[in-house]
């Protein structure tokens, strides 16, 4: 069973911030910003590649509720989902990173090799 499924089942602890029957939001264990929340479907779905339009139509308002709860709708935020090996996905259970609470830099997304695309 994957680590996020274990969190859903309560087999490993997580700092939960919000949940409903289908989705769970909890703090990232290794935060990259003052607010760094992971938002997942409780059902195991490997990545965004496997997300259906139906799932996206339900998870979108759930994410926006959390955005509002943390008043990020006024301040701005970043929503990221990494997909697969080259996308940097480490946990193979669909999750959205919600980052905010400070002025976020646009990170260096790849190696110096990227300079050739500028
Ligand atoms: P990704 O690289 O997009 O797959 O992101 C996985 C994220 O899961 C990373 O930001 C990790 O810090 C986070 N993470 C891994 N294990 C846990 C855990 N037990 N509780 C909370 N966050 C976790």
């Amino acid at each position: 069973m994957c680590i996020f499924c274990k969190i859903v089942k309560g087999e490993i602890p997580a700092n939960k911030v919000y949940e409903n029957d289908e989705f769970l939001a909890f703090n990232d264990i290794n935060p990259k910003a003052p607010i760094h929340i992971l938002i997942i479907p409780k059902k195991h779905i490997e990545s965004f590649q496997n997300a259906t339009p139906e799932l996206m139509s339900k998870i979108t308002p759930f994410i926006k509720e959390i955005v509002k709860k943390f008043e990020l709708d006024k301040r701005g935020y970043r929503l990221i989902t990494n997909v697969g090996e080259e996308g940097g996905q480490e946990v193979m259970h669909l999750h959205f990173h919600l980052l905010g609470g400070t002025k976020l830099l646009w990170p260096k997304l790849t190696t110096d090799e990227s300079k050739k695309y500028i």
Side-chain angles (χ1 to χ4, degrees), residues 3-4 7 12-15 26-32 36 38 80-83 87-93 95 97:
I3 192 163
F4 288 175
I7 287 174
I12 59 170
N15 193 345
F26 54 96
N27 285 321
D28 195 294
I29 207 168
N30 183 19
K32 305 283 191 295
H36 186 171
L38 299 176
I80 296 172
T81 186
N82 296 324
V83 179
Q89 185 178 2
E90 286 174 2
V91 178
M92 303 310 273
H93 182 132
H95 53 283
H97 296 256

Side-chain angles (χ1 to χ4, degrees), residues 2-118:
C2 89
I3 192 163
F4 288 175
C5 283
K6 286 184 181 169
I7 287 174
V8 170
K9 284 190 175 273
E11 289 177 10
I12 59 170
N15 193 345
K16 294 181 184 179
V17 298
Y18 205 47
E19 71 181 308
N20 66 15
D21 286 349
E22 287 182 278
F23 307 112
L24 172 65
F26 54 96
N27 285 321
D28 195 294
I29 207 168
N30 183 19
K32 305 283 191 295
I35 296 168
H36 186 171
I37 295 166
L38 299 176
I39 298 147
I40 67 169
K42 290 186 174 177
K43 183 179 163 211
H44 184 85
I45 294 169
E46 190 171 292
S47 80
F48 183 71
Q49 274 305 104
N50 308 96
T52 61
E54 291 73 24
L55 178 109
M56 293 309 298
S57 74
K58 288 191 274 183
I59 204 167
T60 298
F62 182 79
I63 293 170
K64 286 188 184 177
E65 271 189 71
I66 298 161
V67 163
K68 239 182 151 183
K69 197 173 149 78
F70 285 84
E71 298 182 346
L72 295 175
D73 51 332
K74 300 182 187 88
R75 298 182 63 178
Y77 59 91
R78 189 165 296 153
L79 190 65
I80 296 172
T81 186
N82 296 324
V83 179
E85 192 187 341
E86 290 196 357
Q89 185 178 2
E90 286 174 2
V91 178
M92 303 310 273
H93 182 132
L94 172 64
H95 53 283
F96 292 89
H97 296 256
L98 174 63
L99 297 145
T102 190
K103 173 78 182 164
L104 297 166
L105 299 175
W106 186 244
K108 188 172 173 179
L109 290 172
T110 185
T111 63
D112 285 342
E113 273 285 287
S114 65
K115 291 204 175 89
K116 69 184 175 197
Y117 302 117
I118 295 170

